[in-house]
Amino acid sequence: MKKELKVSAIKDGTVIDHIPSNAAFKVAEILDLEKINKIISVATNLRSKTGKKGIIKVGGKILTKDEFDKIAVIAPEATVNIIHDYEVKEKIKVSLPDTLNKIVKCSNPSCITNNENVNTRFYVIKKDPLKVRCHYCERSMEKEEIQMI
Ligand SMILES: [Zn+2]
């Protein structure tokens, strides 16, 4: 019999599901996974009803609000499952807040946030496709131009 590669279940932690396949590594990048010493698995190109998806499992991790907001920017369809004792205790659909504080960089080189010690602040003016506007210089950015801090 062929042995299957089994992805271990996690006892406590977070499973981020329904990530677009091409965004799975971007989501992994913002999670600071290097600091975690429990099971981490990143899977992409898994079959799903709507095409392909990625899933990230992180043992022992509880997402911060900033991480939730960042995931909403990169993967607006994602669902976050909170795992406790091998069971899903809570399922949360990420959602974009109206304001993004310290989440994305301003693309305008002369913006005060790129020149002084000022935290970025963007207003979400359209959610799908994503469009945001800088509070300070009023530069608008669309999804393709958005860079995380
Ligand atoms: Zn700006």
Side-chain angles (χ1 to χ4, degrees):
M1 249 184 88
K2 204 168 75 179
K3 264 192 192 164
E4 276 183 65
L5 181 69
K6 211 169 133 195
V7 178
S8 315
I10 54 175
K11 184 171 185 284
D12 298 292
T14 301
V15 175
I16 307 162
D17 197 359
H18 301 289
I19 306 168
S21 264
N22 60 5
F25 289 103
K26 266 192 220 159
V27 174
E29 225 170 83
I30 59 140
L31 292 178
D32 236 353
L33 297 177
E34 278 169 32
K35 289 187 191 142
I36 292 172
N37 62 2
K38 299 239 166 78
I39 291 173
I40 299 172
S41 79
V42 179
T44 64
N45 298 319
L46 302 171
R47 223 173 276 161
S48 82
K49 284 174 205 150
T50 51
K52 284 179 172 178
K53 66 169 184 178
I55 294 182
I56 299 176
K57 296 185 188 186
V58 193
K61 168 104 182 152
I62 295 165
L63 296 181
T64 63
K65 168 147 192 345
D66 275 8
E67 287 168 336
F68 262 102
D69 290 352
K70 285 180 184 175
I71 295 168
V73 172
I74 303 168
E77 304 298 313
T79 320
V80 175
N81 299 281
I82 315 287
I83 311 294
H84 186 61
D85 240 348
Y86 299 104
E87 280 178 32
V88 177
K89 283 292 161 212
E90 213 181 327
K91 227 183 201 357
I92 308 159
K93 178 106 183 52
V94 299
S95 72
L96 275 167
D98 298 327
T99 323
L100 299 171
N101 293 313
K102 285 196 286 178
I103 303 283
V104 299
K105 274 184 216 156
C106 186
S107 63
N108 174 5
S110 33
C111 179
I112 187 165
T113 61
N114 287 318
N115 295 285
E116 281 173 47
N117 192 11
V118 175
N119 290 330
T120 67
R121 173 187 286 190
F122 280 84
Y123 301 109
V124 174
I125 46 180
K126 208 162 71 171
K127 292 195 173 181
D128 192 21
L130 183 61
K131 199 172 175 186
V132 297
R133 192 177 61 232
C134 179
H135 166 75
Y136 297 99
C137 70
E138 300 198 320
R139 157 98 40 130
S140 296
M141 298 193 302
E142 295 186 11
K143 182 148 185 141
E144 307 73 57
E145 303 164 77
I146 293 175
Q147 275 192 18
M148 299 292 165
I149 285 179

